[in-house]
Amino acid sequence: DDVREQAVWALGNIAGDSPPCRDLVLQAGAMHPLLQQLHQGSKLSMLRNATWTLSNFCRGKPQPDFDIVRHSLATLSQLIFSPDEEVLTDACWALSYLSDGPNEKIQAVIEAGVCRRLV
């Protein structure tokens, strides 16, 4: 578990360095394995690290390939109900990054069912 958590943290650091680094991480297929770490049985430290990493996957200009990051919407729609302030904050930041753009992106975030909780 510790090694997985450290790997998640490392991916978040790489992705957070710059948009080209983020894109390399995403193109290498890191999104799906990351999302697998975000389930109810995960330790709080893993949830915090993985949500922070997920927000880094969604952050930056130019924006990441929406076809890759849109897969995080279902997970984010669950994370925004976390009682943990750090998880909640990073999940909200991720949703903010995902909704920054044209109407299609905003609509995808709305269709994820997050608006009621955010308001």
Side-chain angles (χ1 to χ4, degrees):
D1 282 352
D2 288 342
V3 173
R4 281 188 303 130
E5 199 168 323
Q6 289 174 5
V8 164
W9 178 82
L11 289 171
N13 266 348
I14 294 167
D17 184 65
S18 67
C21 289
R22 175 208 62 211
D23 292 344
L24 284 172
V25 170
L26 289 173
Q27 290 164 4
M31 179 62 82
H32 183 68
L34 176 67
L35 294 177
Q36 290 179 319
Q37 306 310 308
L38 290 162
H39 54 79
Q40 290 198 351
S42 295
K43 293 188 317 185
L44 180 58
S45 59
M46 174 60 94
L47 287 174
R48 286 176 173 172
N49 276 323
T51 307
W52 171 77
T53 294
L54 181 56
S55 77
N56 279 352
F57 282 10
C58 299
R59 183 172 64 104
K61 300 277 184 169
Q63 293 179 317
D65 181 346
F66 194 71
D67 288 334
I68 296 174
V69 294
R70 78 177 320 134
H71 296 290
S72 66
L73 285 169
T75 300
L76 287 166
S77 71
Q78 295 172 0
L79 290 172
I80 59 171
F81 287 94
S82 173
D84 184 73
E85 190 173 322
E86 285 183 43
V87 171
L88 180 59
T89 298
D90 285 326
C92 287
W93 274 115
L95 288 166
S96 170
Y97 302 140
L98 290 174
S99 63
D100 180 22
N103 288 343
E104 298 80 39
K105 290 182 178 183
I106 296 168
Q107 189 61 41
V109 171
I110 291 170
E111 289 173 4
V114 299
C115 293
R116 181 180 298 246
R117 171 68 173 151
L118 293 177
V119 174

